[in-house]
Amino acid sequence: MYVAKCRQGESFTQGKIVPYGDISISPCSPILNYGQGLFEGLKAYRTEDDRIRIFRPDQNALRMQTGAERLCMTPPTLEQFVEAVKQTVLANKKWVPPPGKGTLYIRPLLLGSGATLGVAPAPEYTFLIYASPVGDYHKVSSGLNLKVDHKYHRAHSGGTGGVKSCTNYSPVVKSLLEAKSAGFSDVLFLDAATGRNIEELTACNIFIVKGNIVSTPPTSGTILPGVTRKSISELAHDIGYQVEERDVSVDELLEAEEVFCTGTAVVVKAVETVTFHDKKVKYRTGEAALSTKLHSMLTNIQMGVVEDKKGWMVDIDPCQG
Amino acid sequence: MYVAKCRQGESFTQGKIVPYGDISISPCSPILNYGQGLFEGLKAYRTEDDRIRIFRPDQNALRMQTGAERLCMTPPTLEQFVEAVKQTVLANKKWVPPPGKGTLYIRPLLLGSGATLGVAPAPEYTFLIYASPVGDYHKVSSGLNLKVDHKYHRAHSGGTGGVKSCTNYSPVVKSLLEAKSAGFSDVLFLDAATGRNIEELTACNIFIVKGNIVSTPPTSGTILPGVTRKSISELAHDIGYQVEERDVSVDELLEAEEVFCTGTAVVVKAVETVTFHDKKVKYRTGEAALSTKLHSMLTNIQMGVVEDKKGWMVDIDPCQG
Ligand SMILES: Cc1ncc(COP(=O)(O)O)c(C=O)c1O
Ligand SMILES: Cc1ncc(COP(=O)(O)O)c(C=O)c1O
């Protein structure tokens, strides 16, 4: 794993690759007491010709900077972030699975690690990256069965829903466990203000399709601006769909022809059913679904099957290590 | 400091007092990645006759249990919590300041410390307590100058505002820093649903006084049920005030005769001014204020100046150590 530290308001100095293991942290740190922490998630892919590549790491770097601004933290620069991700991947290159077998999931963390008793920004920050191989789970499972949550909300305006703050996740675990024990795959949250519009799942964005129009909720502060969401919007537009970022009501969701989710972990994933109170709606999935097409368009770019005309992929130079 | 661990769903075994210092934790733990953590705050007081006592620790124990239920964590039992607080105080007894000079602030933490990659409850929990002497800050400073925040919100219904989750704090740091740099002492948050009712400050509850009526927002999920809030409500009732727990609008706040805050750190603290947009209102403070009376009623109980008829104080047996 990669570890770098920095005093508040100063710059991160050169980090180090160290063996993966527990870290040492002050009991008085804001990450332990006040949730002052951000995380990111991205993947490294091994191509057929044995190159290792990462997907749009600059986007994750920028999102960490936006989050750091919101939580009054000191972030690494864009270059430091990307360089640290590359070093981490290189140090773990034997763990990047062969094509078709999976990817290396990379988890950068920015933690308020310095000691302070009061509710205040930490005097010191730790930037840490660890990685773990993950399987290709699109193939093994079918479409998602979502439950629309009308009890818990994920985010509110003036909160932290629009950044990848640790504070957005433990509050939704209860909802997720309740849904899973009732047989659902995940929860779809509604906006806290009106309870009428859909927002996102616990860790992916959502799209609905009707005719030629693909719609997804806007990133106006309560949903995470997903890198996959942005990339899929662009690909859908490229193949002639009209992509709309706008409020999407539950009613529209229930009347859609197709629904799918996007995220680094799931890539693009069809939603098979949505349950709202007593109503259960079934959507198009399988070969005919737009999500299937978008999934292969994106993974073909990521795996180097087609040329990366967008400049999304960043090669890891094996000689650098 | 005190440290105990437990597997998810099992019971905490006997903890240990260890020298204060950094703790070792997995980079994959939900406290670092997903904000799965709770904290508490209470104080130990040294009386004139040199006894050491703590204030209503059972209330903090119960609040940690409510929080653990909300965040799907395994908490210590009420008895374990109180016993661990006592052990921590005993181990630090030389740090409990003499009467009039301050108190020992005690900070219990419950952390999702076991490793898990996905958004899920931790497989292991750490219950940790550290302590630090703090001054009596009521005496040195005058009333609070609050800014009503109309941009950020602290909590939403279906969220975690009603429990002492770490996730409620880092999101308000930005608002607090902005207010402090404009010369305010703290921020008063409004409800996220309507933006019309007052909720609480970053770390204390609020009361308004008009005539014989003392009002405070209800603990219906978006504000923390403060132990001091509950105790002060009881004391105000005892001396003939009518205490109402109900929605309090900003308009009412601006028309109140007196406003005060309660919390373990501040005890009871008069609010001198409230600023809402361009409007600044001044309230009664000083000897004539109800808050001054309630402050001495409560501290007299805590410091053993008057008899504790309510059974709120728990003595620490010095021979136990
Ligand atoms: C809440 C939430 N929404 C959406 C996403 C999808 O974002 P991305 O496509 O950048 O992985 C994530 C994270 O992966 C998330 O945690
Ligand atoms: C948000 C918040 N409200 C209110 C309080 C006051 O609670 P108590 O009186 O139990 O200290 C606290 C903590 O001290 C708090 O963090």
Side-chain angles (χ1 to χ4, degrees):
Chain A
M1 65 187 196
Y2 173 96
V3 184
K5 301 204 173 204
C6 130
R7 308 283 314 159
Q8 184 187 8
E10 298 182 2
S11 303
F12 276 93
T13 47
Q14 187 64 40
K16 275 203 301 273
I17 294 288
V18 298
Y20 176 81
D22 288 0
I23 61 164
S24 177
I25 194 161
S26 167
C28 258
S29 57
I31 179 64
L32 298 187
N33 293 261
Y34 307 124
Q36 198 193 23
L38 296 165
F39 71 98
E40 273 301 330
L42 65 168
K43 284 177 173 173
Y45 308 82
R46 192 182 292 275
T47 61
E48 286 292 349
D49 56 355
D50 212 23
R51 284 173 300 145
I52 296 177
R53 316 161 85 197
I54 47 181
F55 182 67
R56 307 189 80 174
D58 57 312
Q59 297 293 315
N60 299 280
L62 289 171
R63 192 164 64 186
M64 182 168 274
Q65 291 187 350
T66 312
E69 211 272 317
R70 179 64 185 81
L71 295 189
C72 305
M73 305 173 79
T74 305
T77 64
L78 196 149
E79 294 71 29
Q80 284 171 330
F81 182 99
V82 175
E83 182 53 33
V85 168
K86 286 184 180 175
Q87 284 186 33
T88 312
V89 174
L90 263 180
N92 291 284
K93 66 182 173 204
K94 67 167 184 242
W95 297 109
V96 185
K101 295 278 182 256
T103 53
L104 185 74
Y105 180 77
I106 306 153
R107 168 64 59 92
L109 294 179
L110 183 65
L111 309 173
S113 52
T116 165
L117 192 55
V119 179
E124 187 202 65
Y125 294 90
T126 299
F127 177 46
L128 185 155
I129 309 181
Y130 61 90
S132 166
V134 291
D136 256 352
Y137 85 85
H138 188 76
K139 290 182 181 160
V140 293
S141 61
S142 52
L144 300 173
N145 296 298
L146 302 185
K147 177 188 161 190
V148 179
D149 193 325
H150 42 85
K151 193 163 87 183
Y152 300 104
H153 295 283
R154 182 186 166 276
H156 59 271
S157 80
T160 54
V163 299
K164 212 162 163 68
S165 157
C166 68
T167 59
N168 301 331
Y169 296 85
S170 74
V172 301
V173 166
K174 195 173 166 73
S175 166
L176 185 63
L177 293 187
E178 284 175 13
K180 284 196 170 165
S181 74
F184 295 102
S185 354
D186 205 336
V187 172
L188 174 57
F189 292 101
L190 301 178
D191 76 295
T194 70
R196 271 199 296 271
N197 297 320
I198 62 173
E199 294 210 314
E200 59 178 322
L201 281 63
T202 51
C204 30
N205 296 113
I206 192 159
F207 288 78
I208 69 165
V209 187
K210 189 149 189 182
N212 191 45
I213 300 175
V214 176
S215 309
T216 190
T219 51
S220 44
T222 53
I223 75 161
L224 193 78
V227 181
T228 322
R229 173 183 177 280
K230 186 173 172 180
S231 310
I232 285 295
S233 293
E234 201 172 319
L235 294 176
H237 175 83
D238 289 353
I239 57 171
Y241 283 84
Q242 183 177 330
V243 180
E244 298 184 348
E245 290 201 26
R246 58 171 178 86
D247 287 342
V248 176
S249 67
V250 178
D251 293 342
E252 272 187 275
L253 167 76
L254 299 176
E255 283 157 19
E257 290 156 11
E258 188 181 327
V259 176
F260 62 86
C261 298
T262 63
T264 297
V266 297
V267 194
V268 180
K269 182 100 187 146
V271 172
E272 202 169 311
T273 68
V274 162
T275 303
F276 179 58
H277 292 287
D278 294 338
K279 194 162 179 178
K280 184 168 181 168
V281 176
K282 219 172 147 21
Y283 303 100
R284 177 172 68 209
T285 59
E287 290 310 313
L290 172 61
S291 62
T292 307
K293 184 167 176 74
L294 291 171
H295 180 271
S296 57
M297 283 176 75
L298 184 57
T299 50
N300 282 345
I301 296 174
Q302 290 171 334
M303 302 307 297
V305 176
V306 300
E307 196 195 333
D308 168 28
K309 293 196 183 126
K310 311 246 179 217
W312 284 347
M313 304 310 296
V314 175
D315 270 294
I316 307 274
D317 178 1
C319 304
Q320 212 194 338
Chain B
M1 65 186 196
Y2 172 96
V3 184
K5 301 204 173 205
C6 131
R7 307 283 314 158
Q8 184 186 8
E10 297 182 4
S11 304
F12 276 94
T13 47
Q14 186 62 40
K16 274 204 301 275
I17 294 288
V18 299
Y20 176 82
D22 288 0
I23 62 165
S24 177
I25 195 161
S26 167
C28 259
S29 56
I31 180 64
L32 297 186
N33 292 260
Y34 306 125
Q36 197 193 24
L38 296 166
F39 71 99
E40 273 302 332
L42 65 165
K43 284 177 175 174
Y45 308 83
R46 192 184 291 274
T47 61
E48 286 293 348
D49 56 355
D50 212 24
R51 285 172 298 145
I52 296 176
R53 317 160 84 197
I54 46 181
F55 182 67
R56 308 189 81 175
D58 56 311
Q59 297 292 315
N60 299 280
L62 289 171
R63 191 164 65 187
M64 182 169 274
Q65 291 187 350
T66 313
E69 211 273 316
R70 180 64 186 81
L71 294 189
C72 305
M73 304 173 79
T74 305
T77 64
L78 195 148
E79 293 71 29
Q80 284 171 331
F81 182 99
V82 174
E83 184 51 34
V85 168
K86 285 185 179 175
Q87 284 185 33
T88 312
V89 174
L90 264 180
N92 291 283
K93 65 181 172 204
K94 66 167 185 242
W95 297 109
V96 185
K101 294 279 182 254
T103 52
L104 184 74
Y105 181 77
I106 306 154
R107 170 62 61 91
L109 294 178
L110 183 65
L111 309 172
S113 52
T116 166
L117 193 54
V119 178
E124 187 202 66
Y125 294 89
T126 300
F127 176 46
L128 185 154
I129 309 181
Y130 61 90
S132 167
V134 291
D136 256 353
Y137 84 84
H138 188 75
K139 291 184 182 161
V140 293
S141 62
S142 51
L144 300 172
N145 296 297
L146 302 184
K147 177 188 161 188
V148 179
D149 193 325
H150 42 84
K151 194 164 85 185
Y152 301 103
H153 295 282
R154 182 186 166 276
H156 59 272
S157 80
T160 54
V163 298
K164 214 161 161 71
S165 158
C166 69
T167 59
N168 301 331
Y169 296 85
S170 75
V172 300
V173 166
K174 196 174 165 71
S175 165
L176 185 62
L177 293 186
E178 285 175 12
K180 284 196 171 166
S181 74
F184 295 102
S185 356
D186 205 337
V187 171
L188 174 58
F189 292 100
L190 301 178
D191 75 294
T194 71
R196 270 196 296 270
N197 297 320
I198 62 173
E199 295 209 315
E200 59 178 322
L201 280 64
T202 51
C204 30
N205 296 112
I206 192 159
F207 288 78
I208 69 165
V209 187
K210 189 150 190 181
N212 191 44
I213 300 174
V214 176
S215 310
T216 189
T219 52
S220 44
T222 53
I223 75 160
L224 193 77
V227 181
T228 322
R229 172 184 177 280
K230 188 173 169 180
S231 310
I232 284 296
S233 294
E234 203 172 316
L235 294 176
H237 176 82
D238 289 353
I239 57 170
Y241 282 84
Q242 183 177 330
V243 180
E244 299 184 348
E245 290 202 26
R246 58 173 179 83
D247 287 342
V248 176
S249 68
V250 178
D251 293 341
E252 271 187 275
L253 167 76
L254 299 177
E255 283 157 19
E257 290 156 12
E258 188 181 327
V259 176
F260 62 85
C261 298
T262 65
T264 295
V266 297
V267 195
V268 180
K269 182 100 187 145
V271 173
E272 200 169 313
T273 68
V274 162
T275 303
F276 179 58
H277 291 288
D278 295 338
K279 193 162 179 177
K280 184 170 181 168
V281 176
K282 219 171 147 20
Y283 303 99
R284 180 174 64 210
T285 58
E287 290 310 314
L290 172 62
S291 63
T292 307
K293 182 167 180 74
L294 292 170
H295 180 271
S296 55
M297 284 177 75
L298 184 57
T299 49
N300 283 345
I301 296 174
Q302 290 170 334
M303 301 308 297
V305 176
V306 301
E307 194 195 335
D308 168 27
K309 293 196 184 124
K310 311 243 179 220
W312 283 347
M313 304 310 296
V314 175
D315 269 296
I316 307 272
D317 178 0
C319 304
Q320 213 195 341

